Amino acid sequence: MLKGLRDLLRWPTPLERRIARRYLQGRRRRRGASLQTVIATGGVTVGVMALVVVLGVMNGLRDELRDRILVASPHLRILTYGNGLRIDDWHRVLDVVRRDPAVVAAAPEVLSESIITAGADYVATVHVVGLEPDSGAVAVNRLPEAMVAGDLRFHPDRTDVDAGIVLGRRLATRLNVGLGDRVRLIPPGAAKVNRALGVVMPRLWNFEVTGVFDTGMYQYDDGFVIMSLPVAQQFTGLGQAVSAVDLRLVDPWQAPAVGARLVDSLGYPFRSLDWQAQNANLFGALQLEKLAMGLVIFFIMIVAAFNIVGTFTMVVTDKTREIGILQAMGLSPGAIGRIFLAQGAGVGAIGVVTGLAGGLLVALAVDRWRLIHINPAVYFIDHLPIRIEPLDVLVVVMVSMALAIAATIYPARAAARLTPVDAIRHE
């Protein structure tokens, strides 16, 4: 049995390949392929297209979310344990982390939450981030690239405000404010009791909108406000302390290892939080969805393989008398089997090439012209991105060809087992 299978899987001769090409056509010689060949090839084409596009969509979602997250988020944060979430000796922390060769840039950061209003009845909760003003040096994030109006210098022109502030584009639209407008924030510290009125009266801070950013990440653009580090320290009541030290690394994928190394150098009570751990649930769900969708589309390829089995079983039945004549002319059973195996390889190759070309064209069109829009409030991004990875393409091509050839083995062996006399007498 193994000897016959090895003989069947040998490379076909030119004569065998020529006969295989002839059998891919109909009964009468014509330029086009037979209907059976078209159906079998179409099944492979559709399966390959679906696999390429679906895997590209999952890769695109992963890469797009990663890029959007890293626009306003550092690769790594150095934090402390405890409810206070404050680092008093952050200058020493900066000196330690900057000596690490994997660190490109490091800067202090203040993190808090507040309530913002533009003076009307509408208020919104926001995340407050305090950063050092943009000096043109290498930043720990790519937020300077996301500015669509103003800048990150936080220089107000009005005299009736405490400082400048930068808002996300969607938040600015909700508040109906732009550059030069005034907004108010309530600090997170304890409010004081007004002695005259006998009620708690929080102090409102007035800010001038000096910049608007658009990261493309709904979570950032709709709920983040940025102010200068000294103002944020006063606003949150931290004094000279900060909430975290942000790091930008040479390789963001090495953030967990770099974080562990820096924590060992700094000692207790410091800890690290990398961008992967911060979004582990999101990226884990995307990876699981990619595997699930790939498995579903793989079953489509299995269906296409059964289609090939049925198609070539019918071809063997249809060509039985011709198979007997070829054997009578001297072709061995192995040669007969290789003829049909070459047909399966041809169908698989044409289907794979056509499906791959169609899948790449669909992926390019959907990604370049953003043909599919999605709800950013749910999916964090506003369109469906597609990224094609060479490894995914290679796996799809190899698996599809293997399925196409494997599906042809049964009808090829059935053809090889026919005897000349029985085949010629077949009606």
Side-chain angles (χ1 to χ4, degrees):
M1 181 177 178
L2 292 178
K3 181 179 179 181
L5 186 60
R6 285 197 299 267
D7 186 42
L8 183 68
L9 295 178
R10 285 171 49 195
W11 187 257
T13 64
L15 175 61
E16 294 164 358
R17 293 197 299 269
R18 183 175 180 181
I19 296 174
R21 285 196 301 269
R22 174 64 183 86
Y23 280 179
L24 287 174
Q25 299 175 349
R27 285 182 174 274
R28 299 176 182 177
R29 193 164 189 84
R30 55 188 179 185
R31 295 181 180 179
S34 67
L35 180 61
Q36 295 171 337
T37 303
V38 171
I39 293 175
T41 306
V44 178
T45 299
V46 172
V48 171
M49 281 187 64
L51 268 175
V52 169
V53 173
V54 168
L55 294 179
V57 168
M58 303 313 301
N59 293 333
L61 287 173
R62 180 201 63 199
D63 294 347
E64 191 74 14
L65 287 174
R66 179 198 63 197
D67 294 341
R68 297 289 178 88
I69 287 171
L70 294 180
V71 168
S73 179
H75 297 162
L76 184 66
R77 280 192 175 100
I78 300 298
L79 305 163
T80 59
Y81 292 101
N83 296 329
L85 194 64
R86 57 183 293 152
I87 302 177
D88 293 291
D89 57 341
W90 56 272
H91 292 285
R92 180 184 71 86
V93 176
L94 279 178
D95 292 337
V96 172
V97 300
R98 284 172 175 168
R99 288 197 293 267
D100 194 289
V103 177
V104 175
E109 179 186 45
V110 171
L111 301 170
S112 185
E113 293 185 356
S114 180
I115 296 176
I116 189 172
T117 178
D121 296 333
Y122 181 78
V123 297
T125 58
V126 293
H127 296 277
V128 177
V129 180
L131 301 176
E132 291 182 328
D134 184 19
S135 61
V138 177
V140 295
N141 53 47
R142 305 203 321 269
L143 196 58
E145 304 172 11
M147 298 300 297
V148 294
D151 51 44
L152 286 170
R153 293 181 298 173
F154 309 106
H155 288 166
D157 295 325
R158 303 176 61 131
T159 58
D160 58 342
V161 296
D162 298 298
I165 198 170
V166 175
L167 310 179
R169 180 180 62 83
R170 294 182 180 273
L171 177 61
T173 301
R174 278 202 293 151
L175 297 173
N176 194 27
V177 296
L179 293 182
D181 292 334
R182 187 179 68 171
V183 295
R184 293 181 175 181
L185 275 78
I186 300 176
K192 296 182 178 180
V193 178
N194 188 298
R195 296 181 179 179
L197 301 177
V199 295
V200 177
M201 296 290 292
R203 185 213 165 187
L204 294 177
W205 284 57
N206 296 308
F207 292 90
E208 177 186 343
V209 179
T210 59
V212 177
F213 63 85
D214 184 3
T215 64
M217 187 77 171
Y218 183 88
Q219 181 180 359
Y220 294 148
D221 299 338
D222 193 60
F224 273 62
V225 299
I226 315 294
M227 59 181 70
S228 68
L229 183 69
V231 173
Q233 288 174 317
Q234 298 178 26
F235 179 77
T236 57
L238 286 175
Q240 298 300 314
V242 298
S243 304
V245 173
D246 296 347
L247 308 179
R248 183 175 181 178
L249 309 179
V250 176
D251 183 5
W253 295 103
Q254 297 299 318
V258 176
R261 183 169 66 242
L262 292 176
V263 168
D264 289 340
S265 301
L266 294 169
Y268 184 83
F270 292 98
R271 61 188 175 93
S272 65
L273 179 63
D274 60 84
W275 66 276
Q276 299 176 62
Q278 191 173 359
N279 303 277
N281 292 337
L282 177 61
F283 288 104
L286 286 175
Q287 184 65 23
L288 180 61
E289 190 173 356
K290 178 181 178 180
L291 293 176
M293 293 300 296
L295 184 61
V296 170
I297 304 302
F298 177 75
F299 285 128
I300 295 179
M301 297 298 301
I302 297 294
V303 173
F306 278 106
N307 182 30
I308 293 175
V309 173
T311 297
F312 282 99
T313 301
M314 292 173 59
V315 171
V316 170
T317 303
D318 186 54
K319 304 291 185 181
T320 300
R321 295 191 64 183
E322 296 181 22
I323 292 172
I325 294 173
L326 290 174
Q327 288 180 326
M329 294 175 61
L331 264 69
S332 65
I336 298 297
R338 287 194 295 273
I339 289 174
F340 288 93
L341 203 63
Q343 283 184 263
V347 167
I350 296 172
V352 167
V353 171
T354 307
L356 184 60
L360 293 177
L361 288 176
V362 171
L364 179 63
V366 171
D367 186 62
R368 173 168 295 184
W369 290 291
R370 300 188 175 187
L371 299 180
I372 301 178
H373 298 275
I374 56 180
N375 186 358
V378 178
Y379 300 99
F380 300 101
I381 53 180
D382 56 2
H383 70 283
L384 191 66
I386 300 182
R387 300 287 185 276
I388 303 298
E389 293 188 352
L391 181 59
D392 288 341
V393 173
L394 180 61
V395 170
V396 169
V397 170
M398 292 180 63
V399 171
S400 302
M401 283 298 302
L403 283 175
I405 294 175
T408 321
I409 290 179
Y410 171 75
R413 296 190 66 183
R417 285 196 296 264
L418 292 174
T419 60
V421 174
D422 293 336
I424 294 174
R425 289 179 177 177
H426 177 76
E427 294 294 337

